[in-house]
Amino acid sequence: VDEWVVTPRIGKPVEINALWYNALRIMADFAKQLGEVASRYAALAERVATGFERFWNEPLGYCYDVLDGPTVPDGHDGSLRPNQLLAVSLPHSPLSAERQRSVVDTCARHLLTAHGLRSLSPDDKAYIGRYGGDRRKRDGAYHQGTVWGWLIGPFVAAHLRVYGDAAAARSYLQPLLQHLNDHGVGSISEIFEGDAPFTPRGCTAQAWSVAEVLRAWQMTEEKPTD
């Protein structure tokens, strides 16, 4: 906002490293399918997985949001944000099964709402539960507690991965299906307020919100049995 960086991510953000690990594993898979040497990508992925250990915040049971950044004294930002869900929801995860479940459970307790996930835990002193006011106030709240509808997709994918229950995972989509009839009719809003009643804000019809709900709905379809 002008010269104000509301949520700086200087350092090593958790989602970038999760995406990099996933990309390297996919490249290794592509190499195998194409008859190329996959060991280079596999070795790089192993290095990333080893380095990813630094993201684990053992006392709190979830990942640091950013490592080696300038915003906190020790460089490690322990803010609870949904970014770390990508370390569980992507096809290849650098986290153990136990840690994956801990991330999902923690995000469910503190970030999950009926219409998506909060961008910051309500327990954080920087949390802003209402989205409104002038441009500076709105943009100041955008990633500080505001709920993003599209994040329900990674959450559903992560939940399905750790619990293996398609029906339970799909149940988290039901409130957004109801939302199709109560705001921008036939579509899904961009964002919602972090505090109840989670009033829709931003765009009334947001493509990435719609896309993630469709992707998660397809992902949780019950597979036919023989």
Side-chain angles (χ1 to χ4, degrees):
V1 185
D2 300 319
E3 298 301 316
W4 175 37
V5 181
V6 183
T7 52
R9 301 188 65 71
I10 302 166
K12 301 178 178 69
V14 64
E15 75 281 2
I16 299 299
N17 285 271
L19 285 160
W20 179 230
Y21 176 81
N22 184 67
L24 288 169
R25 287 297 184 194
I26 288 174
M27 285 300 293
D29 291 343
F30 281 161
K32 290 177 183 177
Q33 292 177 38
L34 295 170
E36 302 290 343
V37 177
S39 57
R40 175 191 173 202
Y41 301 109
L44 284 170
E46 286 301 321
R47 287 179 59 189
V48 174
T50 299
F52 203 89
E53 286 288 314
R54 294 183 61 212
F55 278 102
W56 189 249
N57 187 335
E58 185 63 38
L60 295 179
Y62 58 84
C63 292
Y64 284 105
D65 188 48
V66 177
L67 296 179
D68 303 329
T71 59
V72 290
D74 66 355
H76 300 345
D77 185 352
S79 302
L80 177 56
R81 296 184 182 276
N83 305 59
Q84 64 187 290
L85 279 170
L86 293 186
V88 185
S89 65
L90 291 168
H92 301 278
S93 172
L95 295 172
S96 67
E98 180 182 3
R99 289 179 177 180
Q100 290 174 25
R101 179 170 293 199
S102 184
V103 166
V104 171
D105 290 347
T106 300
C107 288
R109 284 195 302 271
H110 300 282
L111 303 180
L112 181 66
T113 73
H115 296 99
L117 275 80
R118 296 182 178 98
S119 46
L120 183 65
S121 169
D123 297 331
D124 197 295
K125 63 182 180 181
Y127 173 79
I128 301 173
R130 297 295 181 193
Y131 180 89
D134 60 20
R135 173 172 170 257
R136 187 176 181 85
K137 288 184 177 178
R138 294 195 311 274
D139 286 355
Y142 213 38
H143 297 289
Q144 295 292 76
T146 295
V147 172
W148 289 73
W150 78 268
L151 287 170
I152 200 67
F155 177 81
V156 167
H159 191 281
L160 181 62
R161 180 183 201 140
V162 300
Y163 287 104
D165 187 334
R170 177 173 281 198
S171 69
Y172 293 106
L173 300 173
Q174 292 298 331
L176 280 167
L177 299 184
Q178 297 300 318
H179 170 66
L180 289 171
N181 298 317
D182 66 16
H183 193 58
V185 177
S187 194
I188 298 174
S189 297
E190 175 190 13
I191 55 174
F192 303 80
E193 291 190 343
D195 291 344
F198 312 112
T199 304
R201 299 295 185 193
C203 300
T204 57
Q206 182 57 265
W208 55 61
S209 298
V210 174
E212 279 300 285
V213 168
L214 287 172
R215 185 179 72 89
W217 187 265
Q218 184 180 45
M219 183 186 305
T220 53
E221 286 182 338
E222 295 285 354
K223 301 296 187 294
T225 57
D226 294 333

